[in-house]
Amino acid sequence: QLDLEGETPEAAAARRTAAARAGALVGQRVDEFLAPELDPDLAPPESVVHLPLGRVIASTLLGGATVWIAIFIAIIIVGFATGQFWVLFTFVPAAIGLFSYMWTRITKSLRYSIAGTPDGVRIGHGLLSTGNQTIPPGRVHAIEATQWLLWRPFGWWSIRINVAGQSVSSSNDAAQRTLVLPVGTVADVHRVLALLLPDAASAVDPLLDAGLTGRDGEGGFSRTPRRGAWLRPFSWRRIGWAATAGVALIRHGAIARSLTLVPLARMQSVAVTSGPIQRMLGLATVRIHTVAGPIAAGLPIAERAEAEALFERLADEAVERAASDTSHHWGAVTGPGTPTETSEVADAR
């Protein structure tokens, strides 16, 4: 039986079904294009830190690069005044390079975001060119919060990390990948460290304020003997260490304050050294070895007996923590019939 167009009823029904499916598919794609926020999986996680434009610019202008630029400009002016034009070929390119560094730092710090995801800590940044990276769980080997002298009145800090499997070159891109917080407040430091150390966040948090600004054994940190002033006359009161929940915390620095945190599960080795002057004073240095990066973790000065006891404690606890460490399964979803995502899968991403 044929209709007026010479088409069987079955063929007509199939044609109408195909047309309906095509229309539904087109409508679905249009809806997704116009309203992508309807899919919660497409929405990026909310950043726990927001960097105001004024803070980014001011912190860059108050950084160490500005001091060097002022010195180079003074040298150039003096060179012109005395007829030493050779400074054009040395200090002018250096000043231009520093200006370029400052501009790059400002643009890279804009549109900054950091948030926790099931796959790790996701960091985004960049104004003219946007960059994004996800730091897989178990890859952070050392964390350091630092405060430059000129940032101290404003309470600003920056955070860098040592990450396994990442380039350690001195290029701007490599440096940017290890900078997880360009400039932030103490509250921002607490939030970022909670993302980087999720398993130990509650235990480490009470020690952070004393680690950032404390001295003379405050806040649960060790006290450096007074004779350490012979080796570190300006910063010996700041030097100290603490350990909790499998994380070693070391504070030091006077002109540039520093707090270093090392997850013991990923510590590679620990060493105690003592030079001739240190042996005369009964002191020693403890060095914690991690993957290569911008952070050199270590306790500059300690009583020799305390340093040896710390060596034993860190070595024993590192073995214990490494055996029970499950941070490489941090982003996994486990359950009956559900595959577990391992660190190799996260690395491939």
Side-chain angles (χ1 to χ4, degrees):
Q1 182 180 359
L2 301 178
D3 59 12
L4 295 178
E5 297 180 354
E7 186 178 34
T8 64
E10 293 79 5
R15 177 174 53 81
R16 288 192 295 269
T17 301
R21 289 179 179 176
L25 180 61
V26 171
Q28 179 183 358
R29 293 295 180 261
V30 172
D31 291 340
E32 291 176 354
F33 178 77
L34 296 178
E37 67 275 8
L38 295 179
D39 186 355
D41 294 334
L42 297 178
E46 183 178 357
S47 176
V48 300
V49 175
H50 300 280
L51 301 186
L53 175 61
R55 185 196 300 172
V56 172
I57 297 176
S59 63
T60 303
L61 295 177
L62 293 175
T66 304
V67 177
W68 283 109
I69 288 177
I71 294 174
F72 289 162
I73 292 176
I75 293 175
I76 293 171
I77 294 175
V78 172
F80 268 102
T82 58
Q84 303 293 325
F85 298 108
W86 58 268
V87 299
L88 289 175
F89 303 100
T90 54
F91 291 98
V92 171
I96 293 175
L98 287 175
F99 274 115
S100 176
Y101 164 78
M102 294 174 63
W103 171 252
T104 302
R105 182 178 175 86
I106 291 175
T107 56
K108 290 288 187 180
S109 299
L110 297 178
R111 297 178 62 188
Y112 166 87
S113 65
I114 180 170
T117 70
D119 296 322
V121 180
R122 183 175 299 172
I123 302 173
H125 57 80
L127 177 62
L128 303 179
S129 61
T130 302
N132 291 277
Q133 65 170 331
T134 299
I135 303 174
R139 290 297 185 183
V140 178
H141 283 233
I143 309 168
E144 185 176 53
T146 57
Q147 183 185 62
W148 168 241
L149 178 64
L150 298 181
W151 288 8
R152 194 170 301 176
F154 307 96
W156 293 336
W157 294 81
S158 65
I159 297 179
R160 292 188 178 275
I161 59 175
N162 286 355
V163 184
Q166 199 168 85
S167 172
V168 295
S169 64
S170 58
S171 65
N172 287 337
D173 290 340
Q176 186 66 38
R177 286 194 296 269
T178 61
L179 183 65
V180 297
L181 178 63
V183 55
T185 63
V186 173
D188 295 334
V189 172
H190 281 261
R191 297 188 191 101
V192 172
L193 292 181
L195 293 177
L196 298 175
L197 299 171
D199 296 333
S202 59
V204 170
D205 192 73
L207 296 172
L208 290 183
D209 289 338
L212 294 174
T213 60
R215 52 187 297 179
D216 287 332
E218 297 175 350
F221 282 77
S222 64
R223 182 187 299 272
T224 301
R226 182 175 295 274
R227 58 185 181 278
W230 290 99
L231 300 177
R232 300 286 179 121
F234 301 107
S235 63
W236 69 274
R237 293 181 181 273
R238 271 273 304 164
I239 297 174
W241 69 273
T244 181
V247 178
L249 299 89
I250 300 174
R251 67 183 183 192
H252 58 85
I255 296 178
R257 291 174 174 171
S258 174
L259 174 63
T260 304
L261 302 94
V262 179
L264 297 181
R266 291 178 285 282
M267 184 185 77
Q268 294 185 338
S269 64
V270 60
V272 176
T273 60
S274 183
I277 299 178
Q278 286 181 316
R279 288 197 297 270
M280 291 173 55
L281 298 173
L283 303 175
T285 297
V286 180
R287 303 187 186 280
I288 300 177
H289 303 141
T290 67
V291 296
I295 304 170
L299 184 66
I301 299 175
E303 291 274 8
R304 184 168 181 83
E306 181 183 9
E308 293 174 351
L310 178 60
F311 170 87
E312 296 291 341
R313 174 176 177 177
L314 295 182
D316 293 341
E317 188 168 355
V319 173
E320 178 183 349
R321 293 284 177 175
S324 60
D325 181 35
T326 58
S327 59
H328 58 289
H329 296 301
W330 181 21
V333 178
T334 58
T338 304
T340 300
E341 180 183 39
T342 64
S343 60
E344 288 78 13
V345 176
D347 292 344
R349 296 182 177 179

